[in-house]
Amino acid sequence: MSVADRLAPFGTTVFSRITRLAIEHDAVNLGQGFPDFDGPPDVLRAASDALIAGPNQYVRSHGLPALNQAIAEHASPALAGAFPQGIDPDAHVTVTAGCTEAIAASLLGLLNPGDEVILFEPTYDSYLASVALAGAKANIVTLRAHEGGFTFDADELRSAVTERTRAIVVNSPHNPTGKVFSPSELDDIAHVCIEHDLVAISDEVYEHLVYDGAPFPRLANVPGMGARTISCSSIGKTFSLTGWKIGWAIAPPELSASVRAAHQFTTFCAPGALQAGSAAALKSPPSFYESLARDFQRKRDTLCEALDDIGFRCVVPAAGYFVMADHRALWDGDDVSLVTHLIENAGVAAIPPSAFYASSDEGSRFVRFAFCKRDETLRTAIERLRAWRDARRRTKTKEPGGNSRRA
């Protein structure tokens, strides 16, 4: 027996490989994007109470009514352009086992074998696998780094569309770059979707982690996109509860039917008690989200300033959990060799971004560090990276190859 052909190319995820190496070498894990602390105690208590009181059997496939209502109330102001009459909790909201399942169910419910999907790279690794599971093909548009961040070429986007293209996946705020797609970029995407009758799947899990007081423009709110966008998010990133795997898809009834057609035969329903806890979480006051963004922005600044001082060159993220750091001033090899070296010699784990690229080598000059960690975790990682930098300066070696290099 062997892995099915459509999944064989993907192997084990980069997150599992790096986490395993980090454990083997007792490295500080700034690789996988999960906080090393739990979410709000009152939210944990709400889920704990629900474990005793129930529901502990199957719940309604498209969501516990209390959670669907909470999602509708929470998201209606943000998606007012797409749903001017408000979000209907029963017709528009489908609760899933995390945002990953929301995206997979959207693709599985929409696509037929031979259809094509546009993805932006670097791309979260589950997207390509979900496209393959649907028997479809991914057409890639590359986000290219420049001094101010990452952007795509609108002509390249238009060229990626063929007569078989059915959908486009947009991840904003973006993992791993921390990019927030601008209104003009969303207009370019919308123009392509409307012209070619494409469905947009918008991954917005970092929606409440946008920094520097910047707005977060949403694709569904662009004129003409409300009827053709599936907006996906989750509890995990906002409430530091990534292991709960409670997500959702918000879409007009016709697109919700596509999501539910696949969802009912994958997970059927997410755990009832965790849905009850998630409903409580979404009742949090605006001050919670404001404090959350401030706290993570401070962590971002702490790590970026330290990495720049060490010799990396950070592309400061506008949102999210991660920073992409250009390593070329410190290392002459690629991202995979550096990440392995850092785990084994510095005791710090990161992610090689080349794992998120399918059509270019743009990622090889970066490493991705996560800053969604306790302050003491970040301090320890920074101390270890500084010690590693200092040791390399003393020996004046060049890795890999052993030739001397500038300090």
Side-chain angles (χ1 to χ4, degrees), residues 52-128:
I52 302 302
N56 287 304
Q57 309 304 328
Y58 298 127
V59 297
R60 189 177 65 170
S61 179
H62 68 274
L64 189 72
L67 178 55
N68 287 62
Q69 182 65 41
I71 292 167
E73 293 175 0
H74 175 77
S76 283
L79 292 172
F83 299 94
Q85 306 304 315
I87 295 170
D88 185 309
D90 293 323
H92 299 152
V93 179
T94 304
V95 176
T96 57
C99 188
T100 299
E101 196 227 336
I103 295 162
S106 298
L107 291 167
L108 290 169
L110 283 168
L111 301 177
N112 291 309
D115 283 346
E116 296 177 358
V117 184
I118 295 174
L119 303 178
F120 291 94
E121 69 173 5
T123 180
Y124 184 60
D125 63 349
S126 78
Y127 297 172
L128 283 166

Side-chain angles (χ1 to χ4, degrees), residues 57-297:
Q57 309 304 328
Y58 298 127
V59 297
R60 189 177 65 170
S61 179
H62 68 274
L64 189 72
L67 178 55
N68 287 62
Q69 182 65 41
I71 292 167
E73 293 175 0
H74 175 77
S76 283
L79 292 172
F83 299 94
Q85 306 304 315
I87 295 170
D88 185 309
D90 293 323
H92 299 152
V93 179
T94 304
V95 176
T96 57
C99 188
T100 299
E101 196 227 336
I103 295 162
S106 298
L107 291 167
L108 290 169
L110 283 168
L111 301 177
N112 291 309
D115 283 346
E116 296 177 358
V117 184
I118 295 174
L119 303 178
F120 291 94
E121 69 173 5
T123 180
Y124 184 60
D125 63 349
S126 78
Y127 297 172
L128 283 166
S130 295
V131 170
L133 284 170
K137 175 190 173 187
N139 295 335
I140 304 296
V141 176
T142 302
L143 298 173
R144 303 188 188 278
H146 61 89
E147 188 173 341
F150 290 80
T151 60
F152 66 90
D153 185 306
D155 290 334
E156 187 179 347
L157 171 61
R158 286 187 285 271
S159 297
V161 181
T162 77
E163 61 182 12
R164 305 210 65 164
T165 306
R166 176 82 171 97
I168 182 170
V169 179
V170 179
N171 176 200
S172 180
H174 185 261
N175 174 11
T177 68
K179 169 187 176 60
V180 175
F181 282 66
S182 69
S184 63
E185 289 175 320
L186 295 182
D187 285 343
D188 287 337
I189 293 168
H191 181 79
V192 168
C193 289
I194 294 166
E195 180 181 356
H196 297 280
D197 194 24
L198 307 184
V199 174
I201 301 166
S202 184
D203 177 352
E204 301 174 359
V205 293
Y206 298 101
E207 59 181 314
H208 292 295
L209 291 167
V210 178
Y211 309 129
D212 304 306
F216 171 40
R218 299 177 191 253
L219 182 58
N221 287 335
V222 178
M225 291 303 293
R228 61 177 68 251
T229 302
I230 303 172
S231 298
C232 304
S233 192
S234 76
I235 287 295
K237 302 301 192 294
T238 300
F239 292 94
S240 300
L241 296 167
T242 59
W244 278 24
K245 300 299 292 181
I246 301 294
W248 55 83
I250 301 173
E254 296 80 6
L255 293 179
S256 290
S258 299
V259 177
R260 294 174 185 183
H263 166 67
Q264 66 182 334
F265 294 118
T266 50
T267 61
F268 180 75
C269 66
L274 298 183
Q275 290 195 51
S278 299
L282 290 176
K283 299 296 184 181
S284 298
S287 59
F288 169 82
Y289 303 101
E290 294 163 2
S291 176
L292 176 81
R294 282 196 306 269
D295 190 36
F296 275 79
Q297 179 177 322

